[in-house]
């Protein structure tokens, strides 16, 4: 009898040891438990969950994994939301988001908080030059500086392309955060760049270094990797397919382009609005972003009952039907 009890105790100790070792390797090294039951999930960001004796392990569709104790209250989705919010908050603390649209060109850039900027419009009689290059042929410029306005970089949106050449010129490629490429130009073996151009993204955009020393020039080079350059399409250049729909009065909602049909709606649905038109682009362009219009009177219009083919907007105290426009 005593021998059988001893055998049982030995077996229990071995099982307990296996459970402890399995739990430690799962939790400490964020692995799945060896002793487990798997629950596959269809759809969503979680591929499956491995349930162990003391732990459970979440595996995302991108193979990312998180292992927690069974008695812990944990939501993978909520955790990801918190991580994203934390990352966004940190980004907002360190950077200010700059955005500008100039004649259909959209500029977006994260500028560190310790750097300053000011927008510059061209003066008719001035001809600013940088190292012999005449740069007065621009429609917009953005000056960025840290400690001194006199030592800065200027981003130009030009009316025509500019060419950079000369003896001792070395050009180095820069990979931007969005996967696009830019070029930095260095002269005579200098470690400090003189110009940055975006020939593939937009040949009209050009950045000059005006007196920054190496450390600040490298800072600028680093945060300019966050730049995004995009463009709006002009209505006259867009291949819009619409029968009986106004292709000049447009909105974009839920990633669908709609045009005014001319139909007034006796709308008495009594439902709450599902959205609002909050962005305005010039009337010659096709709206690019959600909740955007190219018609000033539609700005701040309320959106009701959106479907793939139609949406109801209320503005000027009237409900109007907008219908889907095909973009070729």
């Amino acid at each position: 009898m005593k021998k059988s009890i001893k055998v049982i105790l030995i077996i229990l100790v071995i099982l307990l040891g296996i459970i402890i070792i399995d739990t430690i390797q799962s939790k400490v090294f964020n692995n799945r438990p060896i002793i487990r039951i798997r629950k596959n999930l269809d759809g969503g960001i979680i591929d499956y969950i491995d349930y162990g004796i003391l732990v459970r392990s979440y595996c995302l569709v991108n193979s990312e994994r998180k292992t927690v104790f069974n008695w812990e209250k944990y939501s993978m989705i909520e955790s990801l939301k918190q991580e994203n919010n934390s990352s966004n908050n940190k980004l907002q603390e360190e950077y200010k988001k700059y955005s500008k649209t100039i004649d259909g060109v959209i500029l977006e850039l994260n500028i560190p908080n310790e750097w300053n900027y000011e927008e510059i419009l061209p003066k008719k009689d001035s001809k600013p030059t940088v190292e012999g290059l005449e740069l007065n042929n621009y429609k917009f410029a953005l000056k960025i500086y840290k400690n001194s306005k006199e030592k800065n970089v200027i981003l130009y949106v030009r009316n025509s392309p500019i060419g950079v050449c000369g003896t001792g010129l070395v050009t180095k490629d820069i990979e931007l955060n969005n996967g696009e490429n830019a070029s930095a130009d260095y002269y005579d073996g200098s470690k400090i760049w003189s110009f940055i151009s975006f020939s593939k993204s937009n040949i009209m955009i050009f950045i000059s270094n005006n007196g920054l020393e190496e450390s600040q020039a490298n800072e600028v080079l680093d945060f300019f990797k966050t730049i995004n350059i995009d463009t709006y399409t002009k209505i006259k250049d867009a291949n819009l397919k619409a029968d009986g729909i106004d292709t000049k009065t447009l909105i974009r909602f839920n990633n669908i382009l709609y045009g005014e049909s001319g139909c007034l709606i006796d709308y008495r649905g009594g439902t709450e609005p599902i959205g609002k038109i909050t962005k305005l682009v010039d009337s010659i362009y096709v709206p690019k972003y959600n909740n955007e219009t190219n018609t000033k009177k539609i700005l701040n219009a309320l959106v009701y009952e959106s479907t793939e083919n139609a949406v109801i907007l209320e503005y000027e105290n009237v409900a109007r039907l907008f219908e889907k426009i095909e973009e070729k």
Side-chain angles (χ1 to χ4, degrees):
M1 186 69 177
K2 290 183 180 179
K3 186 176 180 181
S4 62
I5 294 174
K6 186 181 290 186
V7 171
I8 292 172
L9 288 174
I10 291 172
I11 294 173
L12 290 174
V13 169
I14 292 173
L15 290 174
L16 183 60
I18 292 173
I19 292 171
I20 292 173
I21 292 172
D22 190 21
T23 301
I24 291 174
Q25 70 87 25
S26 300
K27 188 72 172 102
V28 174
F29 299 104
N30 198 31
N31 289 330
R32 62 189 179 187
I34 297 172
I35 305 171
R36 64 183 183 271
I37 297 175
R38 176 167 295 181
K39 180 181 179 181
N40 290 303
L41 302 177
D42 296 325
I45 63 171
I46 301 176
D47 189 11
Y48 59 83
I49 304 174
D50 285 327
Y51 290 93
I53 296 174
L54 297 177
V55 295
R56 64 187 186 277
S57 182
Y58 297 83
C59 183
L60 303 187
V61 292
N62 64 0
S63 299
E64 186 177 340
R65 182 179 294 277
K66 179 66 176 179
T67 302
V68 299
F69 289 113
N70 284 335
W71 55 84
E72 287 185 78
K73 291 183 179 180
Y74 180 79
S75 168
M76 173 65 84
I77 296 175
E78 190 61 34
S79 176
L80 288 174
K81 287 181 180 178
Q82 291 175 0
E83 289 177 9
N84 288 336
N85 290 337
S86 175
S87 176
N88 290 336
N89 290 338
K90 184 177 180 182
L91 185 65
Q92 290 174 359
E93 290 174 2
E94 296 177 354
Y95 294 90
K96 39 187 172 277
K97 185 79 173 180
Y98 178 80
S99 180
K100 185 77 174 180
T101 301
I102 309 101
D103 287 350
V105 177
I106 309 162
L107 291 176
E108 295 178 333
L109 176 66
N110 292 335
I111 302 175
N113 288 331
E114 62 266 27
W115 286 75
N116 306 290
Y117 66 87
E118 61 182 52
E119 297 178 348
I120 306 171
L121 296 177
K123 297 179 181 179
K124 293 181 180 180
D125 300 328
S126 66
K127 293 185 178 181
T129 62
V130 178
E131 295 190 10
L133 291 174
E134 189 175 293
L135 299 174
N136 65 305
N137 188 22
Y138 67 93
K139 62 185 71 175
F140 174 83
L142 181 71
K143 178 188 289 186
I144 304 175
Y145 59 93
K146 191 171 187 180
N147 301 322
S148 168
K149 281 190 176 184
E150 284 67 40
K151 294 183 177 181
N152 59 64
V153 295
I154 299 180
L155 180 151
Y156 294 96
V157 180
R158 293 177 47 79
N159 291 306
S160 60
I162 192 168
V164 177
C165 59
T167 305
L169 172 66
V170 175
T171 299
K172 297 181 181 179
D173 290 334
I174 307 168
E175 184 175 351
L176 306 179
N177 291 357
N178 60 9
E180 298 287 341
N181 289 320
S183 300
D185 297 320
Y186 298 77
Y187 278 96
D188 302 322
S190 174
K191 295 181 179 180
I192 304 173
W193 59 270
S194 296
F195 308 104
I196 298 175
S197 57
F198 303 86
S199 57
K200 292 184 179 180
S201 301
N202 194 305
I203 60 175
M204 303 298 183
I205 296 177
F206 182 83
I207 302 169
S208 67
N209 179 357
N210 308 307
L212 291 188
E213 297 179 356
E214 185 176 356
S215 61
Q216 290 192 6
N218 288 338
E219 282 186 58
V220 171
L221 202 60
D222 189 52
F223 70 74
F224 258 102
K225 291 179 181 179
T226 68
I227 195 169
N228 280 307
I229 303 171
D230 207 346
T231 56
Y232 281 96
T233 302
K234 291 184 178 180
I235 294 174
K236 68 180 182 65
D237 298 327
N239 189 4
L240 303 180
K241 182 181 178 182
D243 295 327
I245 305 173
D246 183 1
T247 57
K248 294 182 179 179
T249 304
L250 304 170
I251 68 162
R252 190 175 295 277
F253 189 75
N254 284 342
N255 299 315
I256 300 174
L257 184 68
Y258 299 95
E260 188 173 23
S261 68
C263 295
L264 304 183
I265 305 296
D266 183 9
Y267 187 71
R268 300 175 184 176
T271 59
E272 293 295 321
I274 60 174
K276 189 176 183 179
I277 304 301
T278 57
K279 304 181 186 74
L280 178 66
V281 68
D282 194 89
S283 60
I284 64 173
Y285 298 115
V286 177
K288 189 179 187 72
Y289 301 106
N290 281 327
N291 305 321
E292 186 173 55
T293 181
N294 66 343
T295 307
K296 189 174 182 180
K297 65 182 179 181
I298 298 178
L299 188 63
N300 297 317
L302 298 178
V303 182
Y304 293 88
E305 299 192 22
S306 169
T307 69
E308 182 179 352
N309 295 315
V311 67
I312 296 174
L313 258 64
E314 183 182 44
Y315 59 94
E316 297 180 336
N317 298 317
V318 177
R320 305 167 193 264
L321 181 67
F322 279 66
E323 296 187 61
K324 181 179 179 180
I325 291 179
E326 295 292 340
E327 300 176 83
K328 296 294 185 178

